[in-house]
Amino acid sequence: MVSKRLSRLEGHRRKFMAVIDGTPECQRAVHYAGRRAKNSNGGLVLLYVIPDGDFQQWLGVEEIMRAEAREEAEAVVAKIAQIVRETIGIEPEVVIREGGAAEQINAVIEEDRDVAILVLAAGSAKEGPGPLVSSVAGRAAAFPIPVTVLPDTLTNEEIDALC
């Protein structure tokens, strides 16, 4: 069970969350979430999850690898945040976590009670729609808030028209 959402109370605003995972479709999810946030006077949360399975080395090597992964995550999210500022005109919140994606998404939802909608975009690769969309469709990772899944064929112009 998820904590009560506070986004409709005075002093709060509804936030849309997009997961930054390096896939081409995450750009569409960010664009949609950003437009919806702007058009509804809400907020945008950009979540980047560093997989924790990447650091199974000796302690010194592990610390270096963890620092490098964090630097890479910060660079990727900074670039996307800059695109959001330039194209949509809002300031996104950036959250970088380490662990499993579904676990960290749920943790952010629980911690930030203004996060009300998770936005994902389906991929068009032959491997399938993407791991997060597949897990939602297969109910392996049920999230406690509504999830918007964008089709892989939408352009930014079509997304703008929908928002």
Side-chain angles (χ1 to χ4, degrees), residues 34-124:
R35 286 285 180 210
R36 287 291 317 271
K38 182 172 184 169
N39 292 345
S40 65
N41 198 28
L44 172 62
V45 176
L46 302 176
L47 172 63
Y48 188 107
V49 180
I50 302 167
D52 61 346
D54 292 349
F55 310 116
Q56 303 294 326
Q57 307 293 329
W58 295 290
L59 187 58
V61 175
E62 178 182 336
E63 289 174 8
I64 293 169
M65 290 176 69
R66 185 170 269 122
E68 289 173 351
R70 179 87 184 178
E71 286 176 21
E72 179 183 339
E74 290 171 353
V76 168
V77 177
K79 183 178 178 182
I80 291 174
Q82 185 60 34
I83 292 169
V84 168
R85 286 184 208 99
E86 292 171 357
T87 61
I88 301 172
I90 62 172
E91 184 63 39
E93 294 177 40
V94 172
V95 178
I96 299 174
R97 295 290 181 90
E98 189 177 308
E103 172 186 295
Q104 294 306 316
I105 290 168
N106 279 316
V108 171
I109 291 167
E110 184 61 30
E111 292 165 15
D112 187 343
R113 293 173 52 194
D114 288 340
V115 174
I117 298 174
L118 173 62
V119 179
L120 304 173
S124 57

Side-chain angles (χ1 to χ4, degrees), residues 4 32-33 139 144:
K4 179 181 174 188
Y32 179 86
R139 298 193 43 84

Side-chain angles (χ1 to χ4, degrees), residues 135-150:
S135 69
V136 170
R139 298 193 43 84
F143 297 108
I145 59 174
V147 178
T148 300
V149 179
L150 300 176

